[in-house]
Amino acid sequence: MNSLPILPTISTTFIVLSAVTVAIGWWLITQRKIEAHKKAMFVAAIFALIFFIIYMSRTIFIGNTAFGGPDQLKIYYTLFLVFHIFLATTGAIFGVVTLYTGYKNNLSRHKKLGPITSVIWFFTAITGVAVYLLLYVFFSGGETTSVIKAILGF
């Protein structure tokens, strides 16, 4: 049995913690606990930032892991990965804007963006966990290589 790789396991844990903390923050604001909501969302952002730092450090210094599963599933995995990357990028941009509008007390815009951002972030976390499972749990990871080669396979 192969052991799980430490950095991807840690980074995936942080993205899950971020999503869970966003859910807690969303629940807190429905309870009108504004200060607790602010703290929860700040913690969620810190968890997401820790994920990003670990992920980017690993990408820059070690590389990314290519899909190691069956060749007939590679195209589906690649499409799923591209969808996840799109969600993660969109979620990060929405997250920064939503945090900014909250801290600047632009509450009308913040209230509109918050639910959209949260849902995008939940799907980002779910698809991120799925990518992790496909790369390291369900199948043995493939070659660790540059981002372009890992995603496109050449």
Side-chain angles (χ1 to χ4, degrees):
M1 182 176 155
N2 293 335
S3 62
L4 295 175
I6 190 72
L7 290 178
T9 302
I10 292 170
S11 65
T12 301
T13 300
F14 274 106
I15 212 60
V16 169
L17 288 171
S18 177
V20 167
T21 312
V22 166
I24 292 167
W26 196 347
W27 178 80
L28 287 167
I29 202 61
T30 66
Q31 305 299 305
R32 297 281 186 226
K33 297 178 178 178
I34 295 168
E35 289 307 311
H37 166 77
K38 287 179 182 179
K39 289 176 185 172
M41 293 313 207
F42 180 76
V43 169
I46 295 299
F47 284 152
L49 184 59
I50 292 169
F51 159 81
F52 185 70
I53 291 168
I54 294 169
Y55 175 79
M56 288 309 297
S57 296
R58 182 174 184 275
T59 298
I60 292 166
F61 296 112
I62 299 171
N64 277 6
T65 303
F67 182 65
D71 285 342
Q72 65 267 28
L73 295 182
K74 184 169 175 50
I75 186 64
Y76 301 109
Y77 168 79
T78 302
L79 291 171
F80 186 78
L81 179 62
V82 169
F83 176 68
H84 167 69
I85 292 169
F86 174 78
L87 276 177
T89 304
T90 304
I93 293 166
F94 268 72
V96 169
V97 172
T98 304
L99 285 167
Y100 181 78
T101 59
Y103 281 110
K104 287 296 186 178
N105 225 20
N106 184 349
L107 298 183
S108 64
R109 189 165 183 211
H110 183 77
K111 287 177 184 179
K112 290 176 187 171
L113 286 174
I116 296 166
T117 304
S118 297
V119 169
I120 293 170
W121 203 245
F122 297 145
F123 280 104
T124 298
I126 291 165
T127 58
V129 169
V131 167
Y132 172 82
L133 292 172
L134 289 167
L135 280 180
Y136 305 109
V137 178
F138 299 149
F139 306 106
S140 294
E143 175 187 5
T144 298
T145 186
S146 72
V147 177
I148 300 299
K149 189 171 180 183
I151 294 172
L152 300 178
F154 57 84

